[in-house]
């Protein structure tokens, strides 16, 4: 058997996407509450109403046999203005949630920040592109460490920081279609990395038994062909998309090839004395990473990239995201014919975790938790209450098979928490794009959702995952 005895089988969610209750319990607004929505998609206001259903949801997770549950804390529920008043009702909500998890012996894996910045901070500081945000974030961490140290062993500093930068030509989260400059983006990345390094130091000081690490979205770049320039492109793409963030927190430096990219794009980092020392000495205890599929990269020459056509584009289109991945002088993303063709025709990369976890183990020598992986699709609720999501089972099964081989080959993976434990609102595609093992009965209509019961149903994947967990990955 390849999966370690105490392997952390579970699944993930995030506060803004699952909780709802945006105006309940003294919560302040977050940038997701005012986000410009794609036509036809619901808001994040009611989400899956986990805020009221958390006991039922955790009981269902326990029924699946979860050993771990990765979720995020809503910053604006804890601190409505993001930095001063602490909201006791917000603290109590998570205390109750932790108690519920404890009841079933489910290990919480807690993301401190998963995209939903308090709106007040956005308005006051202009978001992350302001060094004041470092102390504001660390102050929020301090409140969490003080209150939840007794419940939390695994803290995650930041969800997918790298995607906010890598796809950040436009502010896809705030929902604006304003072009961001590379200089602003990479300075923001630097600020966020210093903030995380400080949070890791603080956690080690305040929480004697806790472990803390980042949670970026990490892939490995396959070269598009055996052309050496494609191989060089894939190395440079890995540096820019992935290694930049992890090298900073694990080694206290940025990859050299990224400096070259900065020169081309006139990026000048505002580095303060001590920034790199903070990163070098913070020492994450593990790496959490989201992994949905590796990239395939083809070399492209440097020339100014023009994103303006995307100003009117639909950010749900795959071509939109592929365009955002175009990094002149480095490479562009291309399709890969070697991927697995699923029963519903979708192409996916079951090797992503196997390959990337091996690469990370070799580079950083730290334990790894897969904090996201999965398949979003429009599920159909049948009249008898069943949901036949064989395509999701197939996707997860093929990925877990490869993950197991990765462990045999030396990848130090200690947990697997696919996205998502329960249906929740997708970042750009509403509730119709579902990822969960548990179906939530609501549609895109917010008015209906507001007073809806949001009944939960078990998908076929629910029963399948239960077997996977109880056999510790033997029965796939
Ligand atoms: C990850 C994010 O990038 O992918 C999640 O951490 C997100 O918040 C998930 O929901 C799936 O992406 P999407 O766009 O389908 O919701």
């Amino acid at each position: 058997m390849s999966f370690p005895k105490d392997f952390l089988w579970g699944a993930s969610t995030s506060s803004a996407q699952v909780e709802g209750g945006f105006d309940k319990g003294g919560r302040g607004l977050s940038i997701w509450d005012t986000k410009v929505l794609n036509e036809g998609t619901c808001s994040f206001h009611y989400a899956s109403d986990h805020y009221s259903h958390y006991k039922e949801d955790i009981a269902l997770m326990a029924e699946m046999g979860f050993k771990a549950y990765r979720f995020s804390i809503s910053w604006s529920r804890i601190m409505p203005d993001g930095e001063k008043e602490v909201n006791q009702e917000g603290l109590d909500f998570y205390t109750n949630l932790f108690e519920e998890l404890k009841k079933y012996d489910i290990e919480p894996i807690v993301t401190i920040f998963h995209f939903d910045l308090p709106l007040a901070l956005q308005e006051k500081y202009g978001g992350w592109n302001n060094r004041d945000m470092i102390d504001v974030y660390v102050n929020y961490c301090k409140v969490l460490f003080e209150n939840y140290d007794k419940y939390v062993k695994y803290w995650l500093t930041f969800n997918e920081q790298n995607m906010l930068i890598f796809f950040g030509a436009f502010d896809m989260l705030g929902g604006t279609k304003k072009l961001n400059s590379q200089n602003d983006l990479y300075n923001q990345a630097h600020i966020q990395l210093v903030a995380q390094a400080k949070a890791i130091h603080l956690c080690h000081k305040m929480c004697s038994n806790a472990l803390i690490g980042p949670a970026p979205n990490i892939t490995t770049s396959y070269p598009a062909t055996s052309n050496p320039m494609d191989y060089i492109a894939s190395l440079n793409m890995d540096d820019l998309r992935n290694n930049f963030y992890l090298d900073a927190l694990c080694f206290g430096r940025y990859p050299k090839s990224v400096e070259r990219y900065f020169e081309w794009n006139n990026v000048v980092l505002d580095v303060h004395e001590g920034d790199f020392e903070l990163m070098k000495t913070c020492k994450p205890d593990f790496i959490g990473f989201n992994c949905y599929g590796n990239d395939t990269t083809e070399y492209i020459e440097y020339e100014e990239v023009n994103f303006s056509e995307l100003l009117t584009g639909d950010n749900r289109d795959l071509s939109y995201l592929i365009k955002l991945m175009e990094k002149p002088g480095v490479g562009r993303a291309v399709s890969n014919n070697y991927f697995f063709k699923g029963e519903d025709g979708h192409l996916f990369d079951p090797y992503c975790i196997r390959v990337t976890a091996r690469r990370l183990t070799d580079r950083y020598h730290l334990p790894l938790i897969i904090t996201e992986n999965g398949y979003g699709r429009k599920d159909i609720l049948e009249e008898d209450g069943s949901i036949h999501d064989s395509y999701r089972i197939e996707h997860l099964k093929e990925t877990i098979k490869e993950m197991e081989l990765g462990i045999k080959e030396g990848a130090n993976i200690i947990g697997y928490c696919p996205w998502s434990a329960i249906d929740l609102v997708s970042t750009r595609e509403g509730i119709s794009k579902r990822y969960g093992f548990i179906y939530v009965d609501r549609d895109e209509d917010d008015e209906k959702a507001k007073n809806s019961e949001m009944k939960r149903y078990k998908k076929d994947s629910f029963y399948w995952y239960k077997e996977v967990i109880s056999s510790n990955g033997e029965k796939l």
Side-chain angles (χ1 to χ4, degrees):
M1 189 186 300
S2 299
F3 289 101
K5 189 167 85 25
D6 299 321
F7 195 73
L8 294 167
W9 294 102
S12 294
T13 63
S14 86
S15 50
Q17 294 173 271
V18 78
E19 275 180 19
F22 81 108
D23 54 357
K24 292 197 178 138
R27 174 179 169 299
L29 293 180
S30 88
I31 56 169
W32 286 60
D33 296 314
T34 55
K35 181 164 136 75
V36 180
L37 302 170
N38 281 321
E39 210 189 320
T41 63
C42 63
S43 74
F44 296 88
H45 290 170
Y46 309 104
S48 301
D49 197 19
H50 181 62
Y51 187 69
S52 323
H53 289 253
Y54 73 92
K55 285 193 179 170
E56 179 188 350
D57 294 343
I58 291 170
L60 286 164
M61 294 176 204
E63 191 183 327
M64 270 187 278
F66 277 24
K67 310 284 181 223
Y69 171 42
R70 179 218 174 198
F71 63 97
S72 77
I73 289 187
S74 155
W75 189 337
S76 47
R77 201 176 282 294
I78 300 291
M79 304 176 92
D81 70 354
E83 56 180 339
K84 293 197 179 83
E85 294 286 297
V86 176
N87 173 30
Q88 189 57 46
E89 259 191 276
L91 284 176
D92 294 345
F93 170 69
Y94 294 105
T95 303
N96 294 337
L97 200 143
F98 284 125
E99 285 292 343
E100 210 57 27
L101 290 171
K102 206 163 132 191
K103 200 160 107 186
Y104 298 105
D105 217 6
I106 298 176
E107 185 77 61
I109 301 177
V110 184
T111 319
I112 294 171
F113 175 65
H114 191 126
F115 302 154
D116 50 348
L117 189 71
L119 186 63
L121 296 179
Q122 179 68 38
E123 286 168 350
K124 181 168 170 188
Y125 297 102
W128 282 100
N129 215 342
N130 182 333
R131 277 190 77 99
D132 290 345
M133 281 297 298
I134 297 174
D135 288 338
V136 174
Y137 168 79
V138 174
N139 177 45
Y140 160 56
C141 292
K142 183 163 173 262
V143 173
L144 300 188
F145 299 154
E146 263 162 11
N147 284 280
Y148 301 132
D149 181 30
K150 71 171 185 175
Y151 295 111
V152 184
K153 178 167 171 200
Y154 297 98
W155 291 102
L156 296 163
T157 51
F158 212 109
N159 180 69
E160 292 201 356
Q161 182 213 351
N162 61 329
M163 300 324 285
L164 298 182
I165 311 297
F166 193 73
F167 284 123
F170 298 102
D171 182 2
M172 293 174 66
L173 292 179
T176 62
K177 284 277 181 83
K178 181 175 80 42
L179 212 70
N180 293 318
S181 83
Q182 296 263 0
N183 195 61
D184 286 354
L185 280 172
Y186 282 94
N187 270 292
Q188 180 176 313
H190 181 74
I191 289 169
Q192 291 167 338
L193 286 163
V194 176
Q196 288 176 82
K198 274 195 153 183
I200 295 172
H201 278 286
L202 185 70
C203 180
H204 287 149
K205 198 162 125 201
M206 291 181 65
C207 314
S208 47
N209 295 314
L211 304 173
I212 185 164
N217 178 310
I218 300 295
T219 55
T220 301
S221 223
Y222 305 125
T225 67
S226 50
N227 178 345
M229 282 316 292
D230 284 344
Y231 182 66
I232 290 168
S234 70
L235 291 175
N236 291 342
M237 190 61 97
D238 266 347
D239 278 349
L240 188 65
R241 187 197 186 285
N242 306 305
N243 304 338
F244 179 80
Y245 304 86
L246 291 174
D247 283 10
L249 293 175
C250 298
F251 306 144
R253 59 174 151 74
Y254 295 138
K256 281 282 176 200
S257 77
V258 176
E259 285 174 13
R260 194 152 172 247
Y261 180 80
F262 286 173
E263 270 170 38
W264 283 328
N265 292 286
N266 303 316
V267 172
V268 181
L269 292 185
D270 177 26
V271 176
H272 287 211
E273 202 187 327
D275 284 357
F276 285 112
E277 192 52 28
L278 267 175
M279 294 185 205
K280 201 178 207 154
T281 49
C282 73
K283 306 247 173 288
D285 302 292
F286 67 98
I287 293 170
F289 73 103
N290 301 348
C291 195
Y292 287 87
N294 286 337
D295 307 311
T296 308
T297 305
E298 176 183 79
Y299 173 70
I300 48 170
E301 294 280 349
Y302 181 77
E303 57 178 45
E304 284 288 339
V305 66
N306 186 0
F307 285 119
S308 57
E309 66 191 69
L310 297 183
L311 281 166
T312 51
D314 187 330
N315 66 15
R316 288 169 286 189
D317 292 344
L318 191 59
S319 58
Y320 188 101
L321 295 179
I322 287 176
K323 176 75 184 169
L324 287 178
M325 286 174 74
E326 201 171 301
K327 307 292 169 189
V330 176
R332 70 156 72 88
V334 292
S335 59
N336 189 323
N337 296 332
Y338 295 95
F339 284 174
F340 191 96
K341 191 162 187 188
E343 60 172 55
D344 62 355
H346 86 293
L347 274 186
F348 70 98
D349 176 17
Y351 305 99
C352 58
I353 293 174
R354 176 179 179 185
V355 172
T356 300
R358 283 193 59 183
R359 190 170 74 71
L360 297 188
T361 302
D362 287 348
R363 192 174 179 101
Y364 301 109
H365 305 282
L366 286 173
L368 306 168
I369 298 178
I370 311 307
T371 39
E372 287 183 34
N373 165 253
Y375 184 37
R377 197 171 183 280
K378 288 188 167 69
D379 294 324
I380 296 166
L381 175 63
E382 306 287 351
E383 282 199 358
D384 63 358
S386 57
I387 300 100
H388 303 303
D389 58 343
S390 51
Y391 36 82
R392 181 167 297 108
I393 295 174
E394 177 191 51
H395 188 114
L396 297 174
K397 183 191 285 186
E398 295 304 322
T399 307
I400 294 174
K401 266 192 215 162
E402 293 298 328
M403 176 166 77
E404 184 178 9
L405 291 174
I407 294 175
K408 279 195 177 132
E409 291 159 350
N412 185 8
I413 306 173
I414 61 166
Y416 177 67
C417 293
W419 191 257
S420 50
I422 175 167
D423 285 345
L424 38 68
V425 183
S426 143
T427 57
R428 288 156 291 123
E429 295 174 65
I431 186 78
S432 309
K433 186 184 189 188
R434 296 168 183 272
Y435 286 87
F437 295 107
I438 300 162
Y439 185 94
V440 176
D441 190 17
R442 65 156 293 185
D443 59 20
E444 302 293 349
D445 186 337
D446 272 327
E447 273 314 301
K448 257 166 64 192
K450 191 172 174 178
N451 302 310
S452 138
E453 210 190 322
M454 295 206 201
K455 208 164 167 237
R456 275 55 175 152
Y457 293 89
K458 299 170 195 172
K459 300 185 191 178
D460 287 355
S461 57
F462 177 103
Y463 301 103
W464 169 80
Y465 198 41
K466 186 177 172 179
E467 283 270 291
V468 173
I469 298 177
S470 68
S471 65
N472 198 24
E474 288 236 315
K475 277 198 204 148
L476 287 174

